[in-house]
Amino acid sequence: MSEAMLDTPLDPALDPTLDPMNNATNPVEPFLRMDRMPHIWCPGCGIGTTVNCFARALESSKLDLNKVAIVSGIGCTGRVAGYANLDSFHTTHGRAIPFATGLKLSNPELQVVVYSGDGDLFAIGGNHFIHAARRNMDIKVICVNNLTYAMTGGQTGPATPTEVISATSPYGVFEPSFNLVQLAEAAGASYVARWTTYHVKQLARSMEEVLHKKGFCFIEVLSPCPTLYQRRNKMGDGLDAMKFYKEVSKVRNGASTGECALTKSGEIVVGKFVDRDRPDYMELLNRQMTATLGERYATPEVTCSEG
Amino acid sequence: MHADPKGVLTGVHFLDGDHACCEGTLAAGARFAAGYPITPSTEVVERFAWRIPTVGGIFIQMEDELAASIAIQGAVWGGAKAFTVTSGPGFSLMMEHIGYAAITETPCVFVNVQRGGPSTGLPTLPAQADMMQAKWGSHGDYSIIALCPNSPQECFDLTVTGFNLAEEFRVPVMMMLDECVGHMTEKVIIPESDQIAITPRRFTHESPEEFRLFKPKEDLVPDMVKAGDGYRFHVTGLTHDERGYPSMNVETQDRLVRRMQDKLKPFSNGRALFEAVDLDDAEVVVVSYGITSRVAQRATQMARAQGVRAGIFRIISAWPFPEQHIRDLAGRVKAFVVPELNLGQMVHEVERHTAGRAKVISVPHAGGSVHKPEVILKAILEAAR
């Protein structure tokens, strides 16, 4: 991603597109289904920020957008697919990854991005996550982690830190939570990074990076939920969340993921933690079949033809 | 359109039902399968895993049936013909995605080799107790097609038919085998590829600007696209409008749910698949399907030998239920006898469409083996009295 792009000024005086009275189109509009606006997300929610980063990453990636597909599960982040101006799939709860697996294997020229939330990907969908990482399936998983089930009213999830008050933990969470980046690395992901919605430049850069990286890639984005998470925990509004992220985040690229666990108010280690090259599923499949079957092996041609 | 010869194993074979079903998927053009091991169905994908690398396609063993049943739908939207295979407990897990296939109108095939239940039940022994689950198992109102082969030959033939129907109506199709049919070995004739008719996917000819993903054609079925072709379409399990966009209102829900049901009406009214044996003069008709129909055949022969005019109406397409045929028969026969390897499932449909105009006698069996012909014969003789 070009620095010029990342440095888009946020001052309407410097950038007329930011002036609400100006009818010029927003630069990310071509990447969105504008006929579906306004979106459903609350004021102060961070999901829109991640989508903005994703749109900018798509633009700077120079990928043919007809060959990029986005798959979401269920929840607030599950709605991202519906707003992206791409071939998009809003699947069932937790199943975005296995859907994406079928999509990618049947149509390998697609770049398949899974965009979903922490509850969807790591509770109901947790098994699919670790197996796709194990296989090094060539899909890119972006997890917007707001530390709660927001769509259903702010219940405890697998990433909710202890001591947090939630709709289903009115006396405080006592279950240990997952360290998502450590889980991703242990399961075999080729690329693992974590950012917050305060780190928009770094996030957009990571997203662009994974769009050009082979294998199972994982980006965790910490994102505020003022309506259901912060309010219950007296953590202020969306702006307070930005201040909090700014204050407690420490950029440590290459940090050991085992030391990146999250707590309610402690340090948030951000950065790119893993970037390694492992053969992906299709490469392993082709290698094995060629070694075993030689010329009898027929390269998969999965799509069916018209009449 | 005819079958792609690459997938067709033309010749005379000695195959069990599971393997014949696998050959049917290949002949039908399926080039993607996802599965999870479960007795007594695994042989279908074991053979697919063995065959597909030289045909050109993908088999992936997923982490569970939830994953398998949605991976195939990802593959379909990527452009593939795809299927999964399971039995009772796995079929229960797949219900979520049978509903997803129904509302997203994703053509795909679910093979269920039925075993005794509930729960883990009788893993290696037959039952026909998932018949209602096939129709009603996922939440909400929706319609599917279910086919019941009674021989390995039919496992081949009907699997091809099942894929064709899935493409024509854009519904999930259930292949409702049972353990006996899945594991019995018989002669299976696989024709030349140019003798196998294939229904192509209904890919749209409209441009991305004019195309609407869920705008129905005259037959109430919308045309389709695949990812990567520039249509920038949206698929959701939420109630959606013709564009595919979520729309949370009563009118959209009514239009969508009714259309999903109505598009299959041709199947219960005229195009239902069945086999009629000795119905012309029948006073008692045995209504059966799958392995039970083969026991019923012996029982009706025994009844005829004793002077009772018995016939067979063999259900091949169980869903939508062939209601018109039962209604027509009900007006001219004395009784229906309905043996099935469950405690009474399809018999309720027979009763419903008979509407009191003939006796309906259930011959239940809890599963684990097949009926003795004498048990069905006894019911026929009672019915004829």
Side-chain angles (χ1 to χ4, degrees), chain A residues 33 35 65-67 82 85 87-88 90-92 95 98-99 102-103 106-107 128 135 293 296-298 302-304 306-307, chain B residues 53-54 61-64 70-71 74-75 78-80 96-97 100 200 205 227-228 230 232-238 245:
Chain A
R33 292 194 171 107
D35 57 347
L65 297 188
N66 288 337
K67 299 294 180 190
N85 187 17
D87 288 335
S88 59
H90 183 215
T91 64
T92 49
R95 320 296 171 211
F99 185 98
L103 185 63
S106 75
N107 203 330
H128 310 310
R135 296 182 182 110
L293 293 167
R296 291 178 57 220
Y297 177 51
V302 177
T303 57
C304 61
E306 256 175 283
Chain B
T54 57
Q61 186 172 315
M62 296 301 286
E63 51 274 15
D64 57 30
I70 195 74
E96 177 180 27
H97 294 134
Y100 189 75
H205 297 291
R232 308 279 186 98
F233 60 90
H234 184 56
V235 174
T236 178
L238 287 167
Y245 289 179

Side-chain angles (χ1 to χ4, degrees), chain A residues 11 30 50 126 129 141 154 179 184 204 209 211 213 224 243 247 283:
Chain A
D11 180 355
T50 73
F129 181 90
V141 178
N179 174 347
E209 231 169 58
L211 289 171
K213 169 101 187 161
K243 288 176 185 161
E247 197 179 306
E283 190 182 333

Side-chain angles (χ1 to χ4, degrees), chain A residues 267-286:
Chain A
E267 184 179 80
I268 300 173
V269 180
V270 295
K272 180 166 80 176
F273 307 128
V274 177
D275 190 349
R276 56 188 170 185
D277 291 317
R278 295 173 58 213
D280 78 330
Y281 181 89
M282 278 306 290
E283 190 182 333
L284 291 169
L285 171 76
N286 286 327

